[in-house]
Each structure stands twice: as C-alpha cells, then as structure tokens.
Amino acid sequence: MNKLLAISLCVILVGASLSGCFGERGDTIDDALHNDDEEINQHNGNVSDETTVNPYGIICPDGSNGTLQWGVMTCAEPEVFKASDVSNETVNLTLQWYKIAVAEWGNYGPVEIYIIGNDTDAAKQLEDDYCERHKALDSNWKEEWDCANDNYQIFTRYIEDGGAAISTLKRTYLDYDFMMMIMSAKYPGPEEEDYKPVTLHEYFHIFQHSHLEGECTGDSRDACERDVKMGGKDTPWWSEGGAEYMAQKLYSNQEGVRANYLQDVMRWKLDSSREGYNNQNVSLNNLTRDSQINAYDVGSWFIAYLIHHEGEDAFLNGFYTDIDDLGFNLAFENNFNKTKYQYVADFDMFFKQPVEDIMAIIPSNTGINEDSSMDN
C-alpha cells in the first residue's frame, strides 16, 4: 500500500540544511547545522497542492535524491507549523535544538512540528488546519476521531496545560505514517532554559519510535506491541527515563552551558525521588505515570546507572538495533547481560547507597563553556 509523502518535506527551514541523504540506520550526519542566515520557510497551517510521485522519494536540500521512510535515516527536515501568535524567534529556537538532537542521534522522519502559543483561537485554527492537511494527504484519515473534537483537543489543551509531546501516527488504517512533535508556550516556555533540553527530550522519543515498525489501531483499549517495546504501557521508566537522561546529558555538553550542569540536574532528581522510591515496594518498571513516585526522575537515574556499566553504545546502537526483531526483554538481555528484572534489582540496591556514592557515576565538568572544556 503506497504511502503519501508530506508536503514540501525537504524545504529549507531555519538554519543550514541537513547535509546529504541517508539510506540506512547507523549512517552519520553532518554536524554543521547552525547557519542563522538561512531564510525562514515555515507553514501557518496552510495546505499545499504539491505532492510527489514516488511515495518515498524526495529531493534533498543539496539537490540529490533521498528517501523519507519510517525507520530510515533521511535528509528531510521536519515541517513546521506554528500558531499565528508564535514568533519566528520561537521557531528558530525550536529548530536549533531539534537539529542538535538530529546531529547526535540521527535524522528520522517523517516529522511534523507544531508550536503552540498562548492564544486559544490561534490553537483552534491550527487544529482545523491540521485536520484539513491530513484529510488531503491521506484518504483514510478519519475526521470523526483523528481531527479535534469536543473530546479530543489536539493543540488547544496546551494553552492551559502547557508541556510538550510526541504523537506517533503509525496506525493500521492510515496510509501516511508520521510523528508529530508538539511544543508549547509554558511548562517550559521558550524563554526558559528548560525549553532546550525538553526539545532534545522529545526528539529522543522520535529516535526511540523510529526503531519500531509495528502499527497500532488508534484505540487505546487495544493492545499495541509498540507499548511493550517502549518499556510497557503507561510505565514510563524506560522510554521517559531514557529520553530525559539522554537529553540532559546532551544539553550539558553544549557550548555555553554551565559547568556541572548534569550533576546539578541529576542531584535534584535524586533528592526529589530517592527517599520516596526507596520507601515503597513497587518495582521501577511497574511505576505508572500516575504513581506518587516520579518515574521520569528515577527512570533517568536507571538509564544513567545502565550506561555507566554497559556504555552508551550498547544502549543506543545495541539495544535499539535489536529491539524490533527481538522484543524488549531479549534485546535487553542480549545487550546488557542481565534480564531487566535483575538489572532493576541491582539498581534498587545502588539507589540505597549514600548520595555521594550514587552521584559518583555522573560525569563532572561536562559541557563546552567558559569554565570547563568537554570531558570525553
């Protein structure tokens, strides 16, 4: 079944274009991503009539032929759609940090970025434009449940709730698979430092999902193998812990970030979660998003502990290469030499140690800044 491509997928947005085209997972990407002199080319929700003939073929920014297919490295940049009250500066900032993530973890897609401001009417208009866009892209798009309605607020809820998210639109009934990245004006807002690592955090979810091919029905009542491979349905220890630690670690290594940023962040996560986690009896991999214990914070410490012992390559290139074929448990054991249950039990013992011993696994003086050089 042919899949339609998104409109104008390889347009130049903000900053220099991603160089080259990539055909297989594991290829590298050019680091030269930041040229602020490029012209802004973005969407305000309007749908173009242009389509491509080849369902996967695209023209790269450098004029060469590329591909845009789920799980395969690409030269394509994300399409950006902003609410009318969102500034170009916020678009620039979002894409700057998006591209830092791409340079580190590879460029995957198709990705559509939606940036929400503070105006409800503007967000509502973006919802309407989103609906019309995907009705035009995919004849199987179901307006009654894929578009916003009284029970399903896609963007307008971010006016009050804030936050950021990745939605994977890889469904059994759709022809066009894509990931949607949503960034909002608060919790955190673009004027806050946290907006930058949050952008990296959300892109790491794109990296995670790009290594999974399975489709879901779109009905939350139905089981979906993607949930299991992400660490379990509504149990965020692995997916959110991984995204949070990898994002904070990457952010700490960026120019201008203060020395010991990563240690400060991880110490805060430790102080806010260690006592509560150690004084309850629910396993980390069974904590839900509604648990009183912050599974994001404890999960990020688990990933730090895992990488400290197994190395980042085993996590990024070992586990995530194997996950789709082997499933979560076997991919985990093959790359980390223990079952997840054994590793969680070992982590529990580690997390009961004195704070100074726990903190010793976090690299110090990371980042390129005025006070320190990068610690490799």
Side-chain angles (χ1 to χ4, degrees), residues 88-123:
N88 288 341
E89 288 75 18
T90 296
V91 175
N92 280 336
L93 178 69
T94 305
L95 284 174
Q96 176 189 352
W97 290 93
Y98 183 98
K99 290 180 179 182
I100 289 172
V102 162
E104 183 73 10
W105 299 314
N107 188 28
Y108 294 96
V111 175
E112 299 176 4
I113 301 176
Y114 290 83
I115 308 178
I116 317 305
N118 295 299
D119 185 88
T120 301
D121 289 338

mmCIF file of all heavy atoms in Angstrom, residues 88-123:
data_model
loop_
_atom_site.group_PDB
_atom_site.id
_atom_site.type_symbol
_atom_site.label_atom_id
_atom_site.label_comp_id
_atom_site.label_asym_id
_atom_site.label_seq_id
_atom_site.Cartn_x
_atom_site.Cartn_y
_atom_site.Cartn_z
ATOM 1 N N ASN A 88 8.699 34.058 15.142
ATOM 2 C CA ASN A 88 9.757 33.401 14.380
ATOM 3 C C ASN A 88 10.936 33.041 15.276
ATOM 4 O O ASN A 88 11.637 32.061 15.020
ATOM 5 C CB ASN A 88 10.227 34.303 13.243
ATOM 6 C CG ASN A 88 9.203 34.393 12.128
ATOM 7 O OD1 ASN A 88 8.323 33.560 12.010
ATOM 8 N ND2 ASN A 88 9.322 35.428 11.320
ATOM 9 N N GLU A 89 11.163 33.824 16.318
ATOM 10 C CA GLU A 89 12.256 33.527 17.248
ATOM 11 C C GLU A 89 12.039 32.184 17.940
ATOM 12 O O GLU A 89 12.987 31.418 18.143
ATOM 13 C CB GLU A 89 12.386 34.639 18.287
ATOM 14 C CG GLU A 89 12.955 35.941 17.771
ATOM 15 C CD GLU A 89 11.954 36.740 16.932
ATOM 16 O OE1 GLU A 89 10.731 36.453 17.029
ATOM 17 O OE2 GLU A 89 12.389 37.636 16.176
ATOM 18 N N THR A 90 10.785 31.885 18.288
ATOM 19 C CA THR A 90 10.494 30.601 18.907
ATOM 20 C C THR A 90 10.687 29.461 17.919
ATOM 21 O O THR A 90 11.189 28.386 18.274
ATOM 22 C CB THR A 90 9.056 30.583 19.462
ATOM 23 O OG1 THR A 90 8.952 31.553 20.513
ATOM 24 C CG2 THR A 90 8.680 29.215 20.007
ATOM 25 N N VAL A 91 10.313 29.673 16.675
ATOM 26 C CA VAL A 91 10.552 28.665 15.640
ATOM 27 C C VAL A 91 12.051 28.422 15.485
ATOM 28 O O VAL A 91 12.521 27.275 15.442
ATOM 29 C CB VAL A 91 9.933 29.100 14.299
ATOM 30 C CG1 VAL A 91 10.291 28.103 13.197
ATOM 31 C CG2 VAL A 91 8.422 29.232 14.423
ATOM 32 N N ASN A 92 12.828 29.505 15.413
ATOM 33 C CA ASN A 92 14.284 29.383 15.291
ATOM 34 C C ASN A 92 14.871 28.584 16.439
ATOM 35 O O ASN A 92 15.704 27.695 16.245
ATOM 36 C CB ASN A 92 14.931 30.769 15.279
ATOM 37 C CG ASN A 92 14.860 31.448 13.930
ATOM 38 O OD1 ASN A 92 14.753 30.793 12.910
ATOM 39 N ND2 ASN A 92 14.921 32.763 13.930
ATOM 40 N N LEU A 93 14.450 28.910 17.652
ATOM 41 C CA LEU A 93 14.969 28.253 18.839
ATOM 42 C C LEU A 93 14.639 26.765 18.827
ATOM 43 O O LEU A 93 15.503 25.914 19.112
ATOM 44 C CB LEU A 93 14.376 28.908 20.092
ATOM 45 C CG LEU A 93 14.781 28.293 21.432
ATOM 46 C CD1 LEU A 93 16.257 28.557 21.715
ATOM 47 C CD2 LEU A 93 13.913 28.854 22.565
ATOM 48 N N THR A 94 13.396 26.443 18.494
ATOM 49 C CA THR A 94 12.977 25.045 18.466
ATOM 50 C C THR A 94 13.794 24.251 17.456
ATOM 51 O O THR A 94 14.282 23.148 17.748
ATOM 52 C CB THR A 94 11.483 24.943 18.134
ATOM 53 O OG1 THR A 94 10.730 25.745 19.056
ATOM 54 C CG2 THR A 94 10.999 23.504 18.207
ATOM 55 N N LEU A 95 13.968 24.803 16.271
ATOM 56 C CA LEU A 95 14.710 24.097 15.233
ATOM 57 C C LEU A 95 16.199 24.006 15.552
ATOM 58 O O LEU A 95 16.851 23.018 15.204
ATOM 59 C CB LEU A 95 14.500 24.778 13.888
ATOM 60 C CG LEU A 95 13.135 24.507 13.254
ATOM 61 C CD1 LEU A 95 12.945 25.333 12.008
ATOM 62 C CD2 LEU A 95 12.977 23.031 12.924
ATOM 63 N N GLN A 96 16.732 25.008 16.210
ATOM 64 C CA GLN A 96 18.140 24.955 16.600
ATOM 65 C C GLN A 96 18.404 23.725 17.470
ATOM 66 O O GLN A 96 19.357 22.966 17.238
ATOM 67 C CB GLN A 96 18.535 26.218 17.363
ATOM 68 C CG GLN A 96 19.959 26.185 17.885
ATOM 69 C CD GLN A 96 20.272 27.349 18.823
ATOM 70 O OE1 GLN A 96 19.466 28.281 18.974
ATOM 71 N NE2 GLN A 96 21.422 27.307 19.456
ATOM 72 N N TRP A 97 17.558 23.513 18.473
ATOM 73 C CA TRP A 97 17.780 22.400 19.397
ATOM 74 C C TRP A 97 17.313 21.081 18.810
ATOM 75 O O TRP A 97 17.881 20.019 19.121
ATOM 76 C CB TRP A 97 17.147 22.721 20.748
ATOM 77 C CG TRP A 97 17.950 23.803 21.399
ATOM 78 C CD1 TRP A 97 17.740 25.139 21.337
ATOM 79 C CD2 TRP A 97 19.172 23.614 22.118
ATOM 80 N NE1 TRP A 97 18.749 25.821 21.985
ATOM 81 C CE2 TRP A 97 19.637 24.909 22.476
ATOM 82 C CE3 TRP A 97 19.906 22.505 22.501
ATOM 83 C CZ2 TRP A 97 20.812 25.098 23.201
ATOM 84 C CZ3 TRP A 97 21.076 22.684 23.224
ATOM 85 C CH2 TRP A 97 21.520 23.966 23.568
ATOM 86 N N TYR A 98 16.343 21.117 17.947
ATOM 87 C CA TYR A 98 15.956 19.924 17.203
ATOM 88 C C TYR A 98 17.139 19.418 16.382
ATOM 89 O O TYR A 98 17.447 18.214 16.364
ATOM 90 C CB TYR A 98 14.773 20.264 16.288
ATOM 91 C CG TYR A 98 14.208 19.103 15.499
ATOM 92 C CD1 TYR A 98 13.076 18.431 15.942
ATOM 93 C CD2 TYR A 98 14.786 18.697 14.299
ATOM 94 C CE1 TYR A 98 12.538 17.378 15.215
ATOM 95 C CE2 TYR A 98 14.267 17.643 13.573
ATOM 96 C CZ TYR A 98 13.143 16.981 14.034
ATOM 97 O OH TYR A 98 12.620 15.936 13.314
ATOM 98 N N LYS A 99 17.841 20.322 15.739
ATOM 99 C CA LYS A 99 18.962 19.926 14.883
ATOM 100 C C LYS A 99 20.160 19.442 15.690
ATOM 101 O O LYS A 99 20.931 18.595 15.220
ATOM 102 C CB LYS A 99 19.348 21.086 13.969
ATOM 103 C CG LYS A 99 18.308 21.365 12.901
ATOM 104 C CD LYS A 99 18.721 22.522 12.013
ATOM 105 C CE LYS A 99 17.679 22.765 10.928
ATOM 106 N NZ LYS A 99 18.079 23.856 10.013
ATOM 107 N N ILE A 100 20.325 19.953 16.889
ATOM 108 C CA ILE A 100 21.371 19.426 17.768
ATOM 109 C C ILE A 100 21.075 17.960 18.087
ATOM 110 O O ILE A 100 21.977 17.110 18.085
ATOM 111 C CB ILE A 100 21.476 20.274 19.046
ATOM 112 C CG1 ILE A 100 22.090 21.639 18.713
ATOM 113 C CG2 ILE A 100 22.301 19.562 20.117
ATOM 114 C CD1 ILE A 100 22.069 22.631 19.854
ATOM 115 N N ALA A 101 19.816 17.651 18.346
ATOM 116 C CA ALA A 101 19.420 16.265 18.607
ATOM 117 C C ALA A 101 19.643 15.394 17.371
ATOM 118 O O ALA A 101 20.142 14.260 17.468
ATOM 119 C CB ALA A 101 17.960 16.209 19.045
ATOM 120 N N VAL A 102 19.282 15.910 16.214
ATOM 121 C CA VAL A 102 19.477 15.183 14.964
ATOM 122 C C VAL A 102 20.957 14.877 14.738
ATOM 123 O O VAL A 102 21.328 13.769 14.335
ATOM 124 C CB VAL A 102 18.901 16.003 13.784
ATOM 125 C CG1 VAL A 102 19.452 15.511 12.451
ATOM 126 C CG2 VAL A 102 17.377 15.917 13.785
ATOM 127 N N ALA A 103 21.809 15.848 15.001
ATOM 128 C CA ALA A 103 23.243 15.646 14.812
ATOM 129 C C ALA A 103 23.777 14.559 15.724
ATOM 130 O O ALA A 103 24.727 13.848 15.383
ATOM 131 C CB ALA A 103 23.993 16.959 15.059
ATOM 132 N N GLU A 104 23.178 14.405 16.898
ATOM 133 C CA GLU A 104 23.640 13.427 17.874
ATOM 134 C C GLU A 104 23.055 12.040 17.626
ATOM 135 O O GLU A 104 23.767 11.031 17.738
ATOM 136 C CB GLU A 104 23.259 13.886 19.289
ATOM 137 C CG GLU A 104 23.759 12.984 20.398
ATOM 138 C CD GLU A 104 25.250 13.083 20.638
ATOM 139 O OE1 GLU A 104 25.890 13.995 20.075
ATOM 140 O OE2 GLU A 104 25.778 12.244 21.399
ATOM 141 N N TRP A 105 21.774 11.962 17.284
ATOM 142 C CA TRP A 105 21.083 10.671 17.257
ATOM 143 C C TRP A 105 20.593 10.261 15.875
ATOM 144 O O TRP A 105 20.015 9.181 15.727
ATOM 145 C CB TRP A 105 19.908 10.698 18.236
ATOM 146 C CG TRP A 105 20.352 10.928 19.649
ATOM 147 C CD1 TRP A 105 21.386 10.311 20.305
ATOM 148 C CD2 TRP A 105 19.785 11.847 20.596
ATOM 149 N NE1 TRP A 105 21.507 10.786 21.582
ATOM 150 C CE2 TRP A 105 20.532 11.732 21.801
ATOM 151 C CE3 TRP A 105 18.728 12.755 20.559
ATOM 152 C CZ2 TRP A 105 20.252 12.491 22.936
ATOM 153 C CZ3 TRP A 105 18.444 13.509 21.686
ATOM 154 C CH2 TRP A 105 19.202 13.377 22.867
ATOM 155 N N GLY A 106 20.834 11.068 14.875
ATOM 156 C CA GLY A 106 20.411 10.722 13.527
ATOM 157 C C GLY A 106 19.100 11.387 13.147
ATOM 158 O O GLY A 106 18.276 11.716 13.995
ATOM 159 N N ASN A 107 18.907 11.553 11.868
ATOM 160 C CA ASN A 107 17.746 12.274 11.351
ATOM 161 C C ASN A 107 16.678 11.291 10.894
ATOM 162 O O ASN A 107 16.843 10.590 9.900
ATOM 163 C CB ASN A 107 18.168 13.158 10.177
ATOM 164 C CG ASN A 107 17.053 14.077 9.725
ATOM 165 O OD1 ASN A 107 16.183 14.454 10.508
ATOM 166 N ND2 ASN A 107 17.066 14.439 8.457
ATOM 167 N N TYR A 108 15.576 11.250 11.620
ATOM 168 C CA TYR A 108 14.475 10.339 11.302
ATOM 169 C C TYR A 108 13.217 11.145 10.976
ATOM 170 O O TYR A 108 13.087 12.310 11.320
ATOM 171 C CB TYR A 108 14.203 9.396 12.474
ATOM 172 C CG TYR A 108 15.339 8.433 12.747
ATOM 173 C CD1 TYR A 108 16.300 8.717 13.707
ATOM 174 C CD2 TYR A 108 15.455 7.249 12.021
ATOM 175 C CE1 TYR A 108 17.351 7.832 13.951
ATOM 176 C CE2 TYR A 108 16.490 6.359 12.264
ATOM 177 C CZ TYR A 108 17.440 6.664 13.233
ATOM 178 O OH TYR A 108 18.476 5.791 13.467
ATOM 179 N N GLY A 109 12.274 10.479 10.357
ATOM 180 C CA GLY A 109 11.032 11.143 9.997
ATOM 181 C C GLY A 109 10.015 10.119 9.514
ATOM 182 O O GLY A 109 10.249 8.917 9.638
ATOM 183 N N PRO A 110 8.941 10.585 8.894
ATOM 184 C CA PRO A 110 8.529 11.981 8.728
ATOM 185 C C PRO A 110 8.129 12.614 10.066
ATOM 186 O O PRO A 110 7.512 11.961 10.901
ATOM 187 C CB PRO A 110 7.308 11.901 7.799
ATOM 188 C CG PRO A 110 7.357 10.522 7.197
ATOM 189 C CD PRO A 110 7.991 9.654 8.231
ATOM 190 N N VAL A 111 8.492 13.890 10.232
ATOM 191 C CA VAL A 111 8.175 14.609 11.454
ATOM 192 C C VAL A 111 7.491 15.920 11.106
ATOM 193 O O VAL A 111 7.935 16.649 10.213
ATOM 194 C CB VAL A 111 9.437 14.903 12.289
ATOM 195 C CG1 VAL A 111 9.089 15.758 13.501
ATOM 196 C CG2 VAL A 111 10.102 13.601 12.738
ATOM 197 N N GLU A 112 6.407 16.201 11.800
ATOM 198 C CA GLU A 112 5.740 17.492 11.724
ATOM 199 C C GLU A 112 5.827 18.143 13.102
ATOM 200 O O GLU A 112 5.448 17.528 14.098
ATOM 201 C CB GLU A 112 4.273 17.327 11.310
ATOM 202 C CG GLU A 112 4.100 16.689 9.941
ATOM 203 C CD GLU A 112 2.646 16.439 9.573
ATOM 204 O OE1 GLU A 112 1.756 16.845 10.359
ATOM 205 O OE2 GLU A 112 2.405 15.834 8.510
ATOM 206 N N ILE A 113 6.337 19.367 13.158
ATOM 207 C CA ILE A 113 6.452 20.101 14.416
ATOM 208 C C ILE A 113 5.333 21.128 14.485
ATOM 209 O O ILE A 113 5.164 21.927 13.557
ATOM 210 C CB ILE A 113 7.813 20.810 14.539
ATOM 211 C CG1 ILE A 113 8.962 19.792 14.454
ATOM 212 C CG2 ILE A 113 7.897 21.584 15.852
ATOM 213 C CD1 ILE A 113 10.342 20.443 14.479
ATOM 214 N N TYR A 114 4.576 21.108 15.574
ATOM 215 C CA TYR A 114 3.503 22.074 15.806
ATOM 216 C C TYR A 114 3.843 22.859 17.063
ATOM 217 O O TYR A 114 4.059 22.275 18.130
ATOM 218 C CB TYR A 114 2.157 21.368 15.954
ATOM 219 C CG TYR A 114 1.674 20.772 14.650
ATOM 220 C CD1 TYR A 114 2.129 19.516 14.229
ATOM 221 C CD2 TYR A 114 0.810 21.465 13.818
ATOM 222 C CE1 TYR A 114 1.711 18.972 13.026
ATOM 223 C CE2 TYR A 114 0.385 20.930 12.603
ATOM 224 C CZ TYR A 114 0.843 19.682 12.217
ATOM 225 O OH TYR A 114 0.439 19.152 11.015
ATOM 226 N N ILE A 115 3.910 24.182 16.925
ATOM 227 C CA ILE A 115 4.302 25.042 18.038
ATOM 228 C C ILE A 115 3.100 25.880 18.450
ATOM 229 O O ILE A 115 2.522 26.602 17.633
ATOM 230 C CB ILE A 115 5.497 25.939 17.657
ATOM 231 C CG1 ILE A 115 6.636 25.080 17.093
ATOM 232 C CG2 ILE A 115 5.980 26.729 18.874
ATOM 233 C CD1 ILE A 115 7.842 25.868 16.646
ATOM 234 N N ILE A 116 2.734 25.759 19.719
ATOM 235 C CA ILE A 116 1.522 26.377 20.249
ATOM 236 C C ILE A 116 1.900 27.568 21.110
ATOM 237 O O ILE A 116 2.856 27.516 21.886
ATOM 238 C CB ILE A 116 0.721 25.370 21.104
ATOM 239 C CG1 ILE A 116 0.652 23.999 20.431
ATOM 240 C CG2 ILE A 116 -0.673 25.914 21.407
ATOM 241 C CD1 ILE A 116 0.102 24.012 19.039
ATOM 242 N N GLY A 117 1.138 28.655 20.982
ATOM 243 C CA GLY A 117 1.388 29.847 21.780
ATOM 244 C C GLY A 117 0.433 29.956 22.948
ATOM 245 O O GLY A 117 0.129 28.961 23.625
ATOM 246 N N ASN A 118 -0.083 31.166 23.173
ATOM 247 C CA ASN A 118 -0.962 31.436 24.317
ATOM 248 C C ASN A 118 -2.402 31.743 23.926
ATOM 249 O O ASN A 118 -3.247 31.939 24.794
ATOM 250 C CB ASN A 118 -0.412 32.622 25.121
ATOM 251 C CG ASN A 118 0.928 32.310 25.753
ATOM 252 O OD1 ASN A 118 1.043 31.395 26.561
ATOM 253 N ND2 ASN A 118 1.955 33.066 25.380
ATOM 254 N N ASP A 119 -2.682 31.779 22.646
ATOM 255 C CA ASP A 119 -3.998 32.193 22.169
ATOM 256 C C ASP A 119 -4.835 30.978 21.783
ATOM 257 O O ASP A 119 -4.448 30.205 20.905
ATOM 258 C CB ASP A 119 -3.848 33.139 20.980
ATOM 259 C CG ASP A 119 -5.182 33.689 20.526
ATOM 260 O OD1 ASP A 119 -5.611 34.735 21.055
ATOM 261 O OD2 ASP A 119 -5.808 33.065 19.644
ATOM 262 N N THR A 120 -5.973 30.812 22.424
ATOM 263 C CA THR A 120 -6.819 29.644 22.182
ATOM 264 C C THR A 120 -7.359 29.621 20.767
ATOM 265 O O THR A 120 -7.397 28.566 20.119
ATOM 266 C CB THR A 120 -7.989 29.623 23.189
ATOM 267 O OG1 THR A 120 -7.461 29.575 24.519
ATOM 268 C CG2 THR A 120 -8.876 28.409 22.959
ATOM 269 N N ASP A 121 -7.787 30.781 20.261
ATOM 270 C CA ASP A 121 -8.324 30.815 18.899
ATOM 271 C C ASP A 121 -7.265 30.436 17.873
ATOM 272 O O ASP A 121 -7.560 29.745 16.892
ATOM 273 C CB ASP A 121 -8.873 32.211 18.587
ATOM 274 C CG ASP A 121 -10.150 32.516 19.361
ATOM 275 O OD1 ASP A 121 -10.825 31.557 19.795
ATOM 276 O OD2 ASP A 121 -10.460 33.716 19.553
ATOM 277 N N ALA A 122 -6.032 30.883 18.109
ATOM 278 C CA ALA A 122 -4.942 30.531 17.193
ATOM 279 C C ALA A 122 -4.664 29.034 17.230
ATOM 280 O O ALA A 122 -4.427 28.407 16.189
ATOM 281 C CB ALA A 122 -3.681 31.315 17.551
ATOM 282 N N ALA A 123 -4.717 28.438 18.418
ATOM 283 C CA ALA A 123 -4.516 26.999 18.541
ATOM 284 C C ALA A 123 -5.657 26.229 17.886
ATOM 285 O O ALA A 123 -5.446 25.183 17.251
ATOM 286 C CB ALA A 123 -4.383 26.609 20.004
#
